[in-house]
Amino acid sequence: LLYTIGVGIISNSFLHMTGLHACVRMFWNETGPSIMAADVEVKFARRLASNSAKVRGRALNGLRRWISARSSIHNAFSELELLKLWKGLYLCMWHCDKPLLQEELAENFASFIHLFHCSDTAWLFVAVFFKTMAREWHGIDRLRLDKFYTLIRRVVRHCFGYLKSKVWEQGLVGGAVEVLASGPLCPDLSQTCSGVQLHVVEVYVPELIAMATGCVSCVPSLELLQPCCNLLAMTKDLTVAETLCRSIFDPITEGLKAAKLQLDLMQLSECLLRLAVSRETRGKNRKKLYTLHRRFVEVAGQQGSSAPGIEATEVQREGWKARPKQPKKDAQDS
């Protein structure tokens, strides 16, 4: 004991003599709060991943209060902190086996977006969620897929619900489009994975319609569909392209979704035509874009709208001139 006390006194005296004591104190003052802040996310993550439903419930209520209190500060959450948070939420969802409880957790986790006072942090929360799902997706077994499908659907729903609560403000809509276009609807699969992308495509329009009910005239439907149009033009996955046509564009051409969204088919057809003549569009997807454009023009013509046009000079500038059809040669001539 005397030896230990003596070593402690000598070490403390050495720190004072060499000036290292002040350096250690300065280091703790600078890093101590950040270490403590990081411990908060770790604590919530451990409790949310607990096998006890009671512990998880208490952690969920505490987490809701903590997010609401801390988000009052501008840019209070960093991407790393939200990554830790979503890791805990992911593990909590992983351990949940009861279907009704799974839906409740999915609804609670997705509704966290409404707790953030700063819209930038709210969209960062959503972006980190899709980044987490893309990272963890290939480790999810088939028995657990359904609950994570539910979680993805609820997050998409609350994204549109967040916009609805802000009366579809133009700046917030742009933020949502940017998050979706660079995340789950990004043609580059290094930013997402095909499983997440396919499910987002399948639930995108139904959830948008659900949130647009009662305020259809205020919804910027064309702008919110822009990431889907870009994905159809640039995707390398044939399954994704077919799912886009089947889940989004085919129902619109049939008039099932366009009326509910009050979508201007002529503007949408012009958007698809501009993508079709773009140099950046993949050749295999160009035919789908032209086909959809013609179908939208036909449907809009039946509704009495005027067909959109792109000037010939603009098409030539993009480098895609219409090729005249060659007459077929008769068998005798051949």
Side-chain angles (χ1 to χ4, degrees):
L1 178 61
L2 293 175
Y3 174 77
T4 303
I5 295 174
V7 170
I9 295 173
I10 293 173
S11 299
N12 195 22
S13 301
F14 175 76
L15 288 174
H16 277 288
M17 290 174 61
T18 57
L20 292 177
H21 189 273
C23 294
V24 171
R25 179 177 296 178
M26 182 177 64
F27 172 78
W28 173 252
N29 290 336
E30 292 180 355
T31 60
S34 61
I35 293 175
M36 293 177 64
D39 288 342
V40 174
E41 287 89 11
V42 174
K43 179 178 69 174
F44 278 125
R46 288 175 179 173
R47 291 184 178 179
L48 287 169
S50 173
N51 291 325
S52 172
K54 188 175 182 179
V55 174
R56 292 199 304 267
R58 289 179 178 177
L60 186 63
N61 293 332
L63 179 60
R64 188 182 292 275
R65 292 192 298 268
W66 178 67
I67 291 176
S68 181
R70 187 176 174 185
S71 62
S72 59
I73 306 172
H74 183 68
N75 293 332
F77 291 91
S78 65
E79 183 176 353
L80 179 60
E81 290 171 337
L82 291 177
L83 281 169
K84 295 177 183 178
L85 178 60
W86 266 118
K87 181 65 175 181
L89 299 180
Y90 168 82
L91 292 175
C92 181
M93 199 73 182
W94 176 277
H95 287 291
C96 182
D97 296 326
K98 298 179 180 179
L100 293 178
L101 185 56
Q102 292 169 6
E103 293 185 8
E104 181 181 350
L105 286 178
E107 180 68 21
N108 286 328
F109 293 167
S111 66
F112 283 169
I113 186 177
H114 301 282
L115 299 177
F116 296 98
H117 300 290
C118 176
S119 60
D120 293 339
T121 309
W123 294 131
L124 180 61
F125 177 77
V126 175
V128 169
F129 162 73
F130 285 115
K131 187 177 294 186
T132 301
M133 293 308 303
R135 185 185 67 243
E136 305 289 347
W137 190 258
H138 297 292
I140 302 175
D141 57 86
R142 63 181 181 85
L143 298 177
R144 289 185 169 90
L145 275 178
D146 286 343
K147 57 185 175 183
F148 287 104
Y149 280 145
T150 302
L151 179 59
I152 292 173
R153 188 181 193 113
R154 295 302 174 88
V155 169
V156 174
R157 177 183 302 177
H158 279 278
C159 284
F160 295 138
Y162 181 77
L163 293 175
K164 183 178 181 180
S165 67
K166 304 296 182 181
V167 201
W168 307 95
E169 184 181 335
Q170 185 65 30
L172 296 180
V173 172
V177 169
E178 183 179 355
V179 168
L180 293 169
S182 61
L185 298 180
C186 180
D188 185 5
L189 288 180
S190 64
Q191 304 298 322
T192 182
C193 64
S194 57
V196 175
Q197 191 171 82
L198 285 170
H199 192 60
V200 171
V201 168
E202 289 174 349
V203 305
Y204 195 84
V205 170
E207 294 302 330
L208 177 58
I209 291 175
M211 287 295 108
T213 303
C215 58
V216 182
S217 59
C218 304
V219 180
S221 304
L222 183 62
E223 185 174 357
L224 290 171
L225 287 177
Q226 187 64 49
C228 300
C229 298
N230 295 337
L231 179 60
L232 180 59
M234 300 301 298
T235 184
K236 299 178 182 179
D237 193 333
L238 180 61
T239 304
V240 173
E242 293 176 349
T243 305
L244 280 164
C245 293
R246 183 181 66 252
S247 300
I248 295 180
F249 296 108
D250 287 347
I252 291 177
T253 57
E254 295 169 1
L256 301 177
K257 307 297 184 183
K260 295 180 180 180
L261 291 176
Q262 289 189 1
L263 186 62
D264 190 336
L265 296 181
M266 300 316 302
Q267 291 184 3
L268 181 58
S269 65
E270 186 173 357
C271 174
L272 294 173
L273 182 58
R274 290 183 183 278
L275 288 172
V277 302
S278 173
R279 287 179 176 273
E280 298 178 357
T281 299
R282 292 182 58 82
K284 293 183 179 180
N285 302 335
R286 199 179 306 279
K287 184 178 180 180
K288 291 184 181 352
L289 292 169
Y290 277 125
T291 301
L292 287 173
H293 162 70
R294 287 192 295 268
R295 290 173 62 184
F296 283 133
V297 170
E298 291 176 1
V299 174
Q302 295 173 0
Q303 297 177 356
S305 301
S306 59
I310 293 183
E311 296 293 336
T313 54
E314 184 175 350
V315 177
Q316 293 175 5
R317 185 169 60 252
E318 293 290 347
W320 299 101
K321 299 181 181 179
R323 295 181 179 179
K325 294 184 179 180
Q326 298 293 335
K328 296 181 180 180
K329 293 183 179 180
D330 297 333
Q332 296 178 356
D333 296 340
S334 60

